[in-house]
Amino acid sequence: MEKEARVNPNALLEGQAEIWLCIFRVVETMALKGAMELRIAHIIHSHARPITLSQIASDIGSPSLDLSSLARIMKLLVHMKVFDADSKSDCEETLHSIA
């Protein structure tokens, strides 16, 4: 008779968590690479003040730029503390600055 291998549920959960962390690290790396290629930090720095997502998009100057995708990337980069976002200003749009 064969013995069934017992799997420790905690070890399985920890293994799954490690896989998800690796996936998230890849996504963070891709977002950072995209921000570098789009020169987002340079655009914000050149304005010498916090600027809106629309201003960033305008300075990128790509006719095929998807503003909602850029917004998602910026949210992730703010979460990573690469950029700051201030939505408490008088402006309707969130202002982005370098962290």
Side-chain angles (χ1 to χ4, degrees), residues 23-36 76 80:
I23 291 169
F24 289 134
R25 283 187 214 118
V26 169
V27 171
E28 289 175 345
T29 301
M30 290 188 311
L32 191 54
K33 180 180 184 261
M36 289 173 56
L76 177 58
M80 294 169 55

Side-chain angles (χ1 to χ4, degrees), residues 17-58:
E18 187 62 33
I19 290 171
W20 280 109
L21 286 173
C22 289
I23 291 169
F24 289 134
R25 283 187 214 118
V26 169
V27 171
E28 289 175 345
T29 301
M30 290 188 311
L32 191 54
K33 180 180 184 261
M36 289 173 56
E37 289 175 351
L38 294 173
R39 302 177 60 226
I40 294 173
H42 175 75
I43 290 169
I44 294 171
H45 179 73
S46 69
H47 282 263
R49 60 179 170 74
I51 60 174
T52 65
L53 190 64
S54 299
Q55 290 172 309
I56 294 170
S58 174

Side-chain angles (χ1 to χ4, degrees), residues 31 35 37 65 82-84 92:
E37 289 175 351
L65 183 69
V82 174
F83 298 110
D84 286 329
E92 290 181 15

Side-chain angles (χ1 to χ4, degrees), residues 62-73:
S62 174
S64 62
L65 183 69
D66 180 17
L67 200 57
S68 64
S69 296
L70 181 60
R72 285 193 297 273
I73 290 171

